[in-house]
Amino acid sequence: MSTPQDMLFKTLADPTRRAIFEQLCREGEKSVGVLTARAGVSQPVVSRHLAVLKQAGLVGDRHAGRQTYYSALPGALSPLTDWTQEMAGYWEGRFDALENLLGRMDQ
């Protein structure tokens, strides 16, 4: 059984996909050609990575003539940020309990 977090982690685990997503987040909408020029891989490979990112809901596309432009959809990261916050809360609680225990042991 796959969760939304599983799909996002799996999608962003690939360094090329992560770099494309980061570029779209930082620089805004880009065409496949522009993304290919900086990706260091062929256009078909970039297109396959964009398809995976789109399937995960991380990018959207817009067609203008013969060009397709992609943009990041950072809101799709909310399952990851929710999970990260949940884990941070868990570990903060564990560290607080450890600190409390160590304080009692020192007395």
Side-chain angles (χ1 to χ4, degrees), residues 77-100:
L77 293 173
S78 63
L80 291 185
T81 57
D82 293 346
W83 181 83
T84 302
Q85 288 174 346
E86 181 183 328
M87 290 295 100
Y90 169 78
W91 283 108
E92 284 176 19
R94 300 290 291 183
F95 286 128
D96 288 346
L98 177 61
E99 185 177 4
N100 189 4

Side-chain angles (χ1 to χ4, degrees), residues 6-105:
D6 293 338
M7 180 175 221
L8 292 171
F9 277 122
K10 184 177 177 182
T11 300
L12 293 173
D14 183 278
T16 302
R17 278 197 292 271
R18 197 170 50 251
I20 291 169
F21 182 70
E22 286 176 10
Q23 183 180 2
L24 291 171
C25 286
R26 293 175 201 270
E27 300 173 13
E29 184 180 75
K30 298 287 179 208
S31 68
V32 175
V34 170
L35 293 169
T36 299
R38 294 175 85 189
V41 293
S42 68
Q43 186 272 322
V45 172
V46 169
S47 291
R48 281 197 296 272
H49 284 302
L50 286 166
V52 174
L53 288 164
K54 186 176 175 183
Q55 185 177 10
L58 291 166
V59 300
D61 61 358
R62 176 180 66 84
H63 300 280
R66 298 179 68 180
Q67 293 285 324
T68 302
Y69 294 89
Y70 289 88
S71 57
L73 301 172
L77 293 173
S78 63
L80 291 185
T81 57
D82 293 346
W83 181 83
T84 302
Q85 288 174 346
E86 181 183 328
M87 290 295 100
Y90 169 78
W91 283 108
E92 284 176 19
R94 300 290 291 183
F95 286 128
D96 288 346
L98 177 61
E99 185 177 4
N100 189 4
L101 174 65
L102 293 173
R104 285 183 288 156
M105 290 174 67

